Every structure is written in C-alpha cells, then in structure tokens.
Amino acid sequence: MDTDFAIMIAISAFAGAGFVWLTRKIQFFSLNTDNEKQVYAASRVKDCKWPSDIHQLGIGITYMKDVTVFLLALFQKFFRDTKSDRPLVALSGLSNCASAMLIFLIAKNYWNSDIGLLLGILYLASIWPWQVSLFGGHVNVATILFLAAVLSVQTASMFPAPALGFLISGFILCLSMFASASATKYLPLFFASAFYENYKLANEFLDPAKIKFSFAVMVLLIISFLAAKLYYKKIVTS
C-alpha cells in the first residue's frame, strides 16, 4: 500500500472516530425538522414494498434523498438507534472521511500521491463539511458518490472495455443525484472529468474523429446545462 494513502486512511479514521464520539449525545436542533422526518422514514424502510414508498413516510422531505435514507437505515441498525439524530449525523460526518480518501486517489491519478495527501488533508481541515455534518447534511453523501463516479471515470481504461467504466460511473452519478438535490452542482465537474478521460483515451488511439465528436458533445452538454439553469422556470411553465 502507498505510504501516503496509509497516512490518509489513518488521519481519516481518526477524524471520523473523533467526530462520532464528540457527537454521541447530539439532539435534533429543533422540533419537526427535516432530520426527524428522514429518521422516521429510515426507521420504516423495512415496511416499504417499493423503494419509492419512503416518500410517503417522509412527507415529501425524502424526495431526491432516497440513497441517503437507505444508508441511514443501515446506520440506524449499526447504532441500534432509530429515534435520535445521531446515526444521521454520523453518516454525514463519516462521509467526509470517505470523501477525503477518494480525493486522495483522484488527485494521485491526476498528479501524484503527495498532492493527493495535501488535498485530502485540506478537505478534512475544512470547516464547512463538518458544519454540514452537524446538521445531518445529505449533500455529504452525494459528495462521496460524485467522487466515486469521477474515480470510476479515471479508471475506465482498466476495464476490458472503457465504455463499461463510463457506464458504471454514470450509474454512480445517478445515485448521487438521488442522495441530495444539491448534487446537481457537481454535474459540470463530472462531465469535465469524463471529457478529459475520453479525450485522453481517444488521443492514445490517435482517433481525431472521436476527439472532435467528444468535444462537440461536451460543448453541447455545457450549453444545455447552462440553458436549463437560466431558463428552467420558463421551460417548466411552458
């Protein structure tokens, strides 16, 4: 194992364990919060006939948070706690640690392990993700999945067919969209990583036509995304 990666694992594990211990007695920050409804929905997952049934239990609060709610149900079993905010906060906090390790791997692939270690530690030292964790923020779960999707794109060339790697990364990206509605802001970054990897693969095989096609698709996606962000209200109204 890479020494830097071992260090990254150790630092992440220490940070995660410390966060879980410090928040062991955390309570809901007020009455009738979104967190309470998510906790209730997760506690009733076993009663759902279909995954989408959690939306009825969460009274709409679980929309676009399906993956987070199902992961929360696993954390509730681990902590043996289906009533308090602790499992949700732990899920969100430990997500930061997993994200830091994924950042290390992604940065190592783009540059080297020293930069990966630096960026991983920088992420763990950032205050904002931990503040989000204290409120059980679902965007932290989406961040893990987004980073996993990027890592899958980076390793596409290792699959028997690179297209399989891109397919898997697309599936993971879809999961991130259903972990938090805030995950949409990661789309441009994902498409940028996919374009870069596809360009690199095309360049290795010296296929100019594929390079031009990939570039055209990337430009079209960016334009479509910006148009949707700017005119979505008019589009929905129409």
Side-chain angles (χ1 to χ4, degrees):
M1 181 186 292
D2 189 316
T3 302
D4 286 338
F5 189 45
I7 294 173
M8 190 73 254
I9 292 176
I11 294 174
S12 298
F14 178 78
F19 180 82
V20 171
W21 185 80
L22 289 172
T23 58
R24 64 192 183 281
K25 296 182 180 180
I26 196 166
Q27 302 293 324
F28 295 111
F29 53 88
S30 65
L31 296 175
N32 298 316
T33 61
D34 290 357
N35 285 21
E36 278 188 277
K37 295 171 184 176
Q38 291 179 69
V39 166
Y40 173 72
S43 69
R44 296 285 303 279
V45 161
K46 61 181 180 298
D47 299 325
C48 296
K49 183 178 180 181
W50 300 99
S52 58
D53 289 346
I54 62 171
H55 301 314
Q56 299 175 11
L57 297 171
I59 318 176
I61 298 302
T62 54
Y63 288 140
M64 304 304 293
K65 302 172 189 173
D66 309 58
V67 174
T68 299
V69 172
F70 283 109
L71 287 175
L72 173 58
L74 294 177
F75 270 67
Q76 287 179 338
K77 287 186 178 181
F78 177 80
F79 285 100
R80 297 181 181 181
D81 182 353
T82 60
K83 303 293 184 182
S84 78
D85 202 24
R86 187 189 181 196
L88 180 57
V89 171
L91 169 61
S92 187
L94 292 177
S95 295
N96 290 332
C97 303
S99 292
M101 290 187 284
L102 288 171
I103 288 172
F104 170 88
L105 294 173
I106 292 169
K108 179 184 176 182
N109 290 336
Y110 281 137
W111 299 287
N112 56 55
S113 60
D114 290 335
I115 292 179
L117 182 61
L118 174 63
L119 294 180
I121 293 175
L122 182 62
Y123 180 81
L124 283 178
S126 300
I127 296 175
W128 181 80
W130 298 109
Q131 288 179 319
V132 172
S133 300
L134 291 174
F135 289 91
H138 37 80
V139 69
N140 287 354
V141 178
T143 300
I144 293 181
L145 294 168
F146 157 69
L147 292 170
V150 172
L151 184 62
S152 182
V153 164
Q154 285 187 325
T155 56
S157 59
M158 298 181 184
F159 288 85
L164 179 60
F166 283 100
L167 181 64
I168 293 173
S169 67
F171 175 75
I172 298 173
L173 181 70
C174 288
L175 291 179
S176 74
M177 297 296 109
F178 285 92
S180 170
S182 300
T184 54
K185 63 176 174 284
Y186 292 140
L187 286 174
L189 297 175
F190 172 80
F191 287 129
S193 67
F195 172 75
Y196 173 79
E197 192 64 32
N198 196 34
Y199 173 83
K200 187 171 69 173
L201 290 172
N203 194 46
E204 287 177 1
F205 292 103
L206 300 176
D207 187 349
K210 188 174 182 181
I211 294 174
K212 292 178 181 178
F213 177 76
S214 298
F215 183 77
V217 170
M218 186 64 191
V219 171
L220 180 62
L221 287 172
I222 292 174
I223 293 174
S224 299
F225 180 80
L226 292 175
K229 290 291 287 183
L230 292 172
Y231 302 108
Y232 72 94
K233 291 184 179 180
K234 292 183 179 179
I235 294 172
V236 171
T237 302
S238 300

